Amino acid sequence: MLPTTRLALKAVLFDLDDTLIDHQQSFRGALRRLWDTYPVFKQKPFATLETLHSQLLEALHQQVLAGQLTFEASRRKRFFELFLRYGVKLSQTDAEAASAVYRQAYLAAECPIPGAVAFLDYLRGQGIAIGVITNSTTVEQYDKVRRCGLHHLIDELVISEEVGVIKPNPAIFQLALSRLGCHPEDTVMIGDSWECDIVGALGAGIPALWLNRYARPCPDARFAQEFHGYEPPEMVVAAILKTITRV
């Protein structure tokens, strides 16, 4: 049963990917489809494919955020470069085909993190506003929120491409506060990226709660309470209470 204690805050800010929506599950499912579709990848362990893909994804995503590549162009380039790591030079048509295989599997696996929807419902029932701050493209993130059925639970969706500021810049957090009509002391930030979400929020004076689903070492427990998932919700509420009383 969800807790009924009213929290002493006005808003909770969330990251989107791997904080509310399970990006890790989606990309692993999509990579498995590539693994099954293209025998060339079987010359190395699946973990190698994951590592190479993650490196390319992160590097190219930074170019997307900087406006140097479109989302679609970055995806084609990612798979062109990925196949090159395995000694295969794709034509543009073949790179687009590989991208389509990945994209279809990614969308098929896309879903909220377990317990996230129920937790958002709980917060709204407590009269707490919900904001999302995400580094990505506007169309991609709006569509993702709708596909995963989160659109009716979010009061403000702040997307880096739309506002021209990228986490961890404190300005994007301050913009979210302004849109919600809240102040740092009224708010908690929840995210999975220590650098983007935790450091960024703290830079804006917002207490932060670190979602650590994969048992990563905590960079510095003095600055953020950590939790490991939204189930049971009582544990998340306890972590929020501890976070807002330590500042």
Side-chain angles (χ1 to χ4, degrees):
M1 179 179 294
L2 290 173
T4 57
T5 302
R6 185 165 294 276
L7 301 182
L9 75 165
K10 293 182 179 178
V12 178
L13 304 176
F14 293 86
D15 172 50
L16 187 60
D17 292 305
D18 282 324
T19 299
L20 291 175
I21 293 175
D22 200 341
H23 170 69
Q24 291 287 329
Q25 173 174 292
S26 295
F27 99 72
R28 286 193 177 114
L31 284 180
R32 279 290 176 188
R33 181 68 60 81
L34 281 176
W35 174 270
D36 293 337
T37 304
Y38 296 97
V40 65
F41 292 126
K42 291 184 171 62
Q43 64 183 263
K44 299 177 183 178
F46 182 76
T48 300
L49 178 62
E50 281 190 299
T51 299
L52 290 172
H53 177 266
S54 295
Q55 292 170 348
L56 289 168
L57 178 62
E58 178 60 27
L60 292 170
H61 186 58
Q62 294 306 312
Q63 294 183 41
V64 172
L65 294 179
Q68 299 167 349
L69 284 174
T70 65
F71 206 87
E72 293 74 16
S74 72
R75 195 179 297 123
R76 289 193 300 270
K77 186 173 182 180
R78 188 196 329 160
F79 292 106
F80 182 84
E81 295 292 337
L82 186 61
F83 274 82
L84 273 184
R85 302 296 195 278
Y86 287 79
V88 176
K89 185 174 182 178
L90 296 180
S91 66
Q92 179 169 326
T93 299
D94 288 339
E96 290 174 351
S99 174
V101 168
Y102 176 92
R103 181 66 171 171
Q104 290 166 8
Y106 182 95
L107 294 177
E110 194 173 57
C111 64
I113 288 174
V117 172
F119 189 66
L120 294 179
D121 272 327
Y122 163 72
L123 292 177
R124 291 180 68 85
Q126 295 287 297
I128 296 168
I130 295 170
V132 170
I133 307 175
T134 176
N135 284 351
S136 193
T137 62
T138 303
V139 171
E140 176 70 13
Q141 298 305 73
Y142 271 113
D143 286 349
K144 185 180 296 180
V145 164
R146 284 193 291 269
R147 287 192 304 266
C148 290
L150 301 181
H151 55 286
H152 65 291
L153 297 171
I154 297 171
D155 296 295
E156 291 291 341
L157 179 56
V158 182
I159 304 172
S160 62
E161 182 188 59
E162 189 173 46
V163 301
V165 185
I166 300 171
K167 293 184 295 182
N169 190 323
I172 196 169
F173 296 90
Q174 292 159 353
L175 176 59
L177 292 177
S178 176
R179 287 186 177 183
L180 290 167
C182 296
H183 301 93
E185 61 269 21
D186 302 324
T187 309
V188 167
M189 174 70 194
I190 295 177
D192 72 295
S193 169
W194 186 271
E195 179 180 354
C196 289
D197 301 320
I198 307 307
V199 174
L202 294 175
I206 302 169
L209 187 60
W210 185 43
L211 176 57
N212 182 15
R213 297 175 66 214
Y214 300 104
R216 293 170 291 172
C218 181
D220 196 328
R222 294 174 301 171
F223 295 108
Q225 172 78 7
E226 71 176 88
F227 72 110
H228 307 289
Y230 295 102
E231 298 171 325
E234 292 88 346
M235 296 294 290
V236 191
V237 172
I240 290 177
L241 288 171
K242 186 173 181 179
T243 295
I244 63 180
T245 55
R246 68 191 288 179
V247 295

